[in-house]
PDB file of all heavy atoms in Angstrom:
ATOM      1  N   VAL B  50     -83.840  77.352 -34.436  1.00  0.00           N
ATOM      2  CA  VAL B  50     -84.411  78.003 -33.257  1.00  0.00           C
ATOM      3  C   VAL B  50     -85.799  77.457 -32.970  1.00  0.00           C
ATOM      4  O   VAL B  50     -86.162  77.197 -31.807  1.00  0.00           O
ATOM      5  CB  VAL B  50     -84.455  79.531 -33.455  1.00  0.00           C
ATOM      6  CG1 VAL B  50     -85.202  80.200 -32.289  1.00  0.00           C
ATOM      7  CG2 VAL B  50     -83.041  80.097 -33.558  1.00  0.00           C
ATOM      8  N   LYS B  51     -86.616  77.270 -34.018  1.00  0.00           N
ATOM      9  CA  LYS B  51     -87.959  76.720 -33.834  1.00  0.00           C
ATOM     10  C   LYS B  51     -87.887  75.306 -33.259  1.00  0.00           C
ATOM     11  O   LYS B  51     -88.676  74.944 -32.379  1.00  0.00           O
ATOM     12  CB  LYS B  51     -88.692  76.703 -35.184  1.00  0.00           C
ATOM     13  CG  LYS B  51     -90.149  76.277 -35.079  1.00  0.00           C
ATOM     14  CD  LYS B  51     -90.950  77.248 -34.221  1.00  0.00           C
ATOM     15  CE  LYS B  51     -92.425  76.870 -34.170  1.00  0.00           C
ATOM     16  NZ  LYS B  51     -93.180  77.741 -33.234  1.00  0.00           N
ATOM     17  N   GLN B  52     -86.943  74.510 -33.734  1.00  0.00           N
ATOM     18  CA  GLN B  52     -86.783  73.148 -33.220  1.00  0.00           C
ATOM     19  C   GLN B  52     -86.397  73.169 -31.746  1.00  0.00           C
ATOM     20  O   GLN B  52     -86.879  72.349 -30.958  1.00  0.00           O
ATOM     21  CB  GLN B  52     -85.709  72.399 -34.035  1.00  0.00           C
ATOM     22  CG  GLN B  52     -85.544  70.933 -33.648  1.00  0.00           C
ATOM     23  CD  GLN B  52     -84.505  70.231 -34.500  1.00  0.00           C
ATOM     24  OE1 GLN B  52     -84.158  70.693 -35.595  1.00  0.00           O
ATOM     25  NE2 GLN B  52     -84.010  69.111 -34.006  1.00  0.00           N
ATOM     26  N   LEU B  53     -85.531  74.111 -31.359  1.00  0.00           N
ATOM     27  CA  LEU B  53     -85.130  74.233 -29.959  1.00  0.00           C
ATOM     28  C   LEU B  53     -86.329  74.628 -29.102  1.00  0.00           C
ATOM     29  O   LEU B  53     -86.526  74.083 -28.004  1.00  0.00           O
ATOM     30  CB  LEU B  53     -84.015  75.270 -29.824  1.00  0.00           C
ATOM     31  CG  LEU B  53     -83.487  75.512 -28.411  1.00  0.00           C
ATOM     32  CD1 LEU B  53     -82.892  74.237 -27.818  1.00  0.00           C
ATOM     33  CD2 LEU B  53     -82.445  76.642 -28.401  1.00  0.00           C
ATOM     34  N   GLU B  54     -87.161  75.556 -29.592  1.00  0.00           N
ATOM     35  CA  GLU B  54     -88.362  75.958 -28.857  1.00  0.00           C
ATOM     36  C   GLU B  54     -89.311  74.779 -28.685  1.00  0.00           C
ATOM     37  O   GLU B  54     -89.892  74.577 -27.608  1.00  0.00           O
ATOM     38  CB  GLU B  54     -89.058  77.106 -29.590  1.00  0.00           C
ATOM     39  CG  GLU B  54     -88.293  78.420 -29.516  1.00  0.00           C
ATOM     40  CD  GLU B  54     -88.952  79.531 -30.311  1.00  0.00           C
ATOM     41  OE1 GLU B  54     -89.572  79.224 -31.366  1.00  0.00           O
ATOM     42  OE2 GLU B  54     -88.854  80.700 -29.895  1.00  0.00           O
ATOM     43  N   ASN B  55     -89.474  73.993 -29.739  1.00  0.00           N
ATOM     44  CA  ASN B  55     -90.359  72.821 -29.655  1.00  0.00           C
ATOM     45  C   ASN B  55     -89.827  71.809 -28.648  1.00  0.00           C
ATOM     46  O   ASN B  55     -90.587  71.194 -27.895  1.00  0.00           O
ATOM     47  CB  ASN B  55     -90.501  72.169 -31.029  1.00  0.00           C
ATOM     48  CG  ASN B  55     -91.291  73.035 -32.001  1.00  0.00           C
ATOM     49  OD1 ASN B  55     -92.067  73.902 -31.594  1.00  0.00           O
ATOM     50  ND2 ASN B  55     -91.096  72.805 -33.300  1.00  0.00           N
ATOM     51  N   GLU B  56     -88.517  71.648 -28.656  1.00  0.00           N
ATOM     52  CA  GLU B  56     -87.896  70.678 -27.740  1.00  0.00           C
ATOM     53  C   GLU B  56     -88.073  71.113 -26.288  1.00  0.00           C
ATOM     54  O   GLU B  56     -88.323  70.279 -25.406  1.00  0.00           O
ATOM     55  CB  GLU B  56     -86.414  70.534 -28.072  1.00  0.00           C
ATOM     56  CG  GLU B  56     -85.683  69.504 -27.228  1.00  0.00           C
ATOM     57  CD  GLU B  56     -84.222  69.377 -27.611  1.00  0.00           C
ATOM     58  OE1 GLU B  56     -83.915  69.404 -28.819  1.00  0.00           O
ATOM     59  OE2 GLU B  56     -83.387  69.251 -26.694  1.00  0.00           O
ATOM     60  N   LEU B  57     -87.930  72.418 -26.028  1.00  0.00           N
ATOM     61  CA  LEU B  57     -88.044  72.932 -24.670  1.00  0.00           C
ATOM     62  C   LEU B  57     -89.492  73.213 -24.272  1.00  0.00           C
ATOM     63  O   LEU B  57     -89.792  73.408 -23.091  1.00  0.00           O
ATOM     64  CB  LEU B  57     -87.212  74.207 -24.529  1.00  0.00           C
ATOM     65  CG  LEU B  57     -85.705  74.042 -24.722  1.00  0.00           C
ATOM     66  CD1 LEU B  57     -85.006  75.396 -24.663  1.00  0.00           C
ATOM     67  CD2 LEU B  57     -85.114  73.096 -23.679  1.00  0.00           C
ATOM     68  N   GLY B  58     -90.383  73.277 -25.261  1.00  0.00           N
ATOM     69  CA  GLY B  58     -91.797  73.508 -24.978  1.00  0.00           C
ATOM     70  C   GLY B  58     -92.105  74.923 -24.561  1.00  0.00           C
ATOM     71  O   GLY B  58     -93.040  75.156 -23.774  1.00  0.00           O
ATOM     72  N   THR B  59     -91.361  75.877 -25.065  1.00  0.00           N
ATOM     73  CA  THR B  59     -91.596  77.282 -24.707  1.00  0.00           C
ATOM     74  C   THR B  59     -91.051  78.184 -25.808  1.00  0.00           C
ATOM     75  O   THR B  59     -90.166  77.792 -26.567  1.00  0.00           O
ATOM     76  CB  THR B  59     -90.924  77.626 -23.359  1.00  0.00           C
ATOM     77  OG1 THR B  59     -91.309  78.936 -22.963  1.00  0.00           O
ATOM     78  CG2 THR B  59     -89.416  77.552 -23.461  1.00  0.00           C
ATOM     79  N   ILE B  60     -91.562  79.414 -25.892  1.00  0.00           N
ATOM     80  CA  ILE B  60     -91.096  80.392 -26.871  1.00  0.00           C
ATOM     81  C   ILE B  60     -89.879  81.119 -26.310  1.00  0.00           C
ATOM     82  O   ILE B  60     -89.884  81.607 -25.174  1.00  0.00           O
ATOM     83  CB  ILE B  60     -92.215  81.415 -27.199  1.00  0.00           C
ATOM     84  CG1 ILE B  60     -93.432  80.696 -27.782  1.00  0.00           C
ATOM     85  CG2 ILE B  60     -91.690  82.458 -28.192  1.00  0.00           C
ATOM     86  CD1 ILE B  60     -93.168  79.958 -29.059  1.00  0.00           C
ATOM     87  N   LEU B  61     -88.843  81.192 -27.128  1.00  0.00           N
ATOM     88  CA  LEU B  61     -87.616  81.844 -26.692  1.00  0.00           C
ATOM     89  C   LEU B  61     -87.466  83.246 -27.266  1.00  0.00           C
ATOM     90  O   LEU B  61     -86.824  84.101 -26.638  1.00  0.00           O
ATOM     91  CB  LEU B  61     -86.405  80.996 -27.106  1.00  0.00           C
ATOM     92  CG  LEU B  61     -86.379  79.549 -26.591  1.00  0.00           C
ATOM     93  CD1 LEU B  61     -85.165  78.820 -27.139  1.00  0.00           C
ATOM     94  CD2 LEU B  61     -86.391  79.507 -25.071  1.00  0.00           C
ATOM     95  N   LEU B  62     -88.034  83.478 -28.441  1.00  0.00           N
ATOM     96  CA  LEU B  62     -87.908  84.770 -29.110  1.00  0.00           C
ATOM     97  C   LEU B  62     -89.284  85.297 -29.494  1.00  0.00           C
ATOM     98  O   LEU B  62     -90.082  84.567 -30.098  1.00  0.00           O
ATOM     99  CB  LEU B  62     -87.040  84.645 -30.370  1.00  0.00           C
ATOM    100  CG  LEU B  62     -85.552  84.324 -30.158  1.00  0.00           C
ATOM    101  CD1 LEU B  62     -84.883  84.047 -31.489  1.00  0.00           C
ATOM    102  CD2 LEU B  62     -84.836  85.465 -29.427  1.00  0.00           C
ATOM    103  N   ASP B  63     -89.526  86.543 -29.160  1.00  0.00           N
ATOM    104  CA  ASP B  63     -90.765  87.212 -29.575  1.00  0.00           C
ATOM    105  C   ASP B  63     -90.495  87.860 -30.935  1.00  0.00           C
ATOM    106  O   ASP B  63     -89.710  88.809 -31.035  1.00  0.00           O
ATOM    107  CB  ASP B  63     -91.153  88.267 -28.532  1.00  0.00           C
ATOM    108  CG  ASP B  63     -92.448  88.992 -28.897  1.00  0.00           C
ATOM    109  OD1 ASP B  63     -93.017  88.690 -29.972  1.00  0.00           O
ATOM    110  OD2 ASP B  63     -92.872  89.849 -28.114  1.00  0.00           O
ATOM    111  N   ARG B  64     -91.128  87.306 -31.980  1.00  0.00           N
ATOM    112  CA  ARG B  64     -90.879  87.767 -33.342  1.00  0.00           C
ATOM    113  C   ARG B  64     -91.951  88.746 -33.834  1.00  0.00           C
ATOM    114  O   ARG B  64     -92.022  89.028 -35.037  1.00  0.00           O
ATOM    115  CB  ARG B  64     -90.825  86.567 -34.289  1.00  0.00           C
ATOM    116  CG  ARG B  64     -89.775  85.499 -33.916  1.00  0.00           C
ATOM    117  CD  ARG B  64     -90.002  84.236 -34.745  1.00  0.00           C
ATOM    118  NE  ARG B  64     -89.019  83.204 -34.527  1.00  0.00           N
ATOM    119  CZ  ARG B  64     -89.015  82.345 -33.510  1.00  0.00           C
ATOM    120  NH1 ARG B  64     -89.960  82.464 -32.566  1.00  0.00           N
ATOM    121  NH2 ARG B  64     -88.111  81.413 -33.411  1.00  0.00           N
ATOM    122  N   SER B  65     -92.780  89.267 -32.958  1.00  0.00           N
ATOM    123  CA  SER B  65     -93.921  90.083 -33.381  1.00  0.00           C
ATOM    124  C   SER B  65     -93.512  91.471 -33.856  1.00  0.00           C
ATOM    125  O   SER B  65     -94.220  92.108 -34.633  1.00  0.00           O
ATOM    126  CB  SER B  65     -94.951  90.205 -32.242  1.00  0.00           C
ATOM    127  OG  SER B  65     -94.357  90.799 -31.108  1.00  0.00           O
ATOM    128  N   GLY B  66     -92.418  92.013 -33.419  1.00  0.00           N
ATOM    129  CA  GLY B  66     -91.991  93.351 -33.801  1.00  0.00           C
ATOM    130  C   GLY B  66     -91.004  93.329 -34.953  1.00  0.00           C
ATOM    131  O   GLY B  66     -90.844  92.330 -35.664  1.00  0.00           O
ATOM    132  N   HIS B  67     -90.310  94.456 -35.146  1.00  0.00           N
ATOM    133  CA  HIS B  67     -89.296  94.542 -36.198  1.00  0.00           C
ATOM    134  C   HIS B  67     -88.042  93.751 -35.840  1.00  0.00           C
ATOM    135  O   HIS B  67     -87.300  93.343 -36.726  1.00  0.00           O
ATOM    136  CB  HIS B  67     -88.930  96.012 -36.450  1.00  0.00           C
ATOM    137  CG  HIS B  67     -90.065  96.813 -37.007  1.00  0.00           C
ATOM    138  ND1 HIS B  67     -90.605  96.591 -38.254  1.00  0.00           N
ATOM    139  CD2 HIS B  67     -90.788  97.838 -36.479  1.00  0.00           C
ATOM    140  CE1 HIS B  67     -91.591  97.447 -38.476  1.00  0.00           C
ATOM    141  NE2 HIS B  67     -91.727  98.220 -37.388  1.00  0.00           N
TER     142      HIS B  67
END
Side-chain angles (χ1 to χ4, degrees):
V50 173
K51 186 62 177 175
Q52 185 178 340
L53 180 61
E54 289 177 327
N55 291 338
E56 183 179 320
L57 297 176
T59 187
I60 300 299
L61 303 177
L62 293 172
D63 181 358
R64 303 169 176 81
S65 59
H67 295 294

